[in-house]
Amino acid sequence: MAAANRLASSSSSSSSEGSLYDGFLSFYGEDIRTGFADCLYYTLVGAGIRTYRDEDELPKGDKIGPELLTAIQESIISIPIFSEHYSSSKWCLNELTQISECRRPKNRIVFPIFYKVEPRDVRNGKEIHAKASKEYQMRVDNYQKQLVEINAKVFEEQQKHFEETIVQGWKKALTEVGELNGWHLKERM
């Protein structure tokens, strides 16, 4: 009930703050787009809460990254929905990092939902951190193989620093948001 009151009060005040959206949904589409995420989205919109969802709000032909980051920055509330494969998506992890970075300085509200994953796995980095690191490392390894002939030594040093910085940001965001009190949904909806 308190969460609904916070959401409703933010919805009425967001237009005065100049925010484009009241809420931003971050989720891995293949896991839950046509089920839980759709249900939540339509419930929020039906309650008069302007909610960003990429398939509805992202204009075709626009670059994905800048639009998503702007939507997160301009949303009062972010709702990351952690699901089985959430951390295998670079986009989801980048969104989560932005959500985490906006949380304190911009006084944004974050309502995490743990959909068929254990909150402790998100907080402690058990499987989710490992999946994120492994998936990203596989991409980096493939990229490195393609560029081995071109300044391999310089590339390795720069890429190692880049990958460590990115993965550390993802881990920090997963841990920080995973520590927030949220909803834990174990069963199918």
Side-chain angles (χ1 to χ4, degrees):
M1 189 64 160
N5 291 339
R6 286 174 71 186
L7 195 56
S9 68
S10 73
S11 179
S12 63
S13 66
S14 64
S15 58
S16 64
E17 294 177 17
S19 295
L20 190 55
Y21 301 101
D22 299 316
F24 180 90
L25 293 180
S26 175
F27 58 92
Y28 184 66
E30 292 180 27
D31 282 354
I32 61 173
R33 180 179 303 276
T34 59
F36 179 75
D38 273 349
C39 181
L40 179 59
Y41 173 77
Y42 289 117
T43 300
L44 293 170
V45 170
I49 299 167
R50 294 172 301 173
T51 305
Y52 183 94
R53 183 175 66 163
D54 59 357
E55 73 182 46
D56 298 317
E57 303 295 335
L58 186 62
K60 302 299 182 214
D62 281 5
K63 282 191 147 190
I64 295 173
E67 174 73 22
L68 286 175
L69 297 180
T70 299
I72 291 168
Q73 293 166 358
E74 294 182 353
S75 295
I76 301 300
I77 298 167
S78 293
I79 304 172
I81 306 170
F82 295 105
S83 60
E84 183 180 3
H85 298 287
Y86 183 92
S87 66
S88 67
S89 166
K90 178 181 104 171
W91 284 109
C92 289
L93 293 171
N94 288 340
E95 289 173 11
L96 187 66
T97 300
Q98 185 68 36
I99 288 167
S100 179
E101 289 173 0
C102 289
R103 187 172 155 257
R104 284 199 180 93
K106 293 189 173 200
N107 205 21
R108 300 299 194 226
I109 300 166
V110 179
F111 290 138
I113 296 175
F114 304 93
Y115 185 79
K116 294 198 241 177
V117 297
E118 292 298 318
R120 71 177 167 269
D121 290 345
V122 175
R123 281 190 290 273
N124 299 333
K126 191 174 181 181
E127 296 170 18
I128 292 179
H129 293 293
K131 286 180 187 177
S133 296
K134 184 177 180 180
E135 178 73 20
Y136 187 74
Q137 188 59 50
M138 286 178 15
R139 289 179 185 158
V140 168
D141 288 346
N142 288 336
Y143 188 60
Q144 284 178 332
K145 286 176 188 176
Q146 295 171 0
L147 296 175
V148 141
E149 297 172 7
I150 306 169
N151 290 323
K153 183 146 180 108
V154 172
F155 173 76
E156 284 179 30
E157 290 173 13
Q158 291 175 343
Q159 189 62 29
K160 184 176 180 180
H161 176 70
F162 174 74
E163 90 182 42
E164 288 172 1
T165 303
I166 296 294
V167 172
Q168 288 303 319
W170 291 345
K171 287 180 179 181
K172 180 181 175 190
L174 283 163
T175 300
E176 182 178 304
V177 176
E179 288 176 346
L180 299 175
N181 188 23
W183 292 270
H184 185 197
L185 306 173
K186 296 179 183 181
E187 301 297 321
R188 289 188 168 203
M189 302 290 293

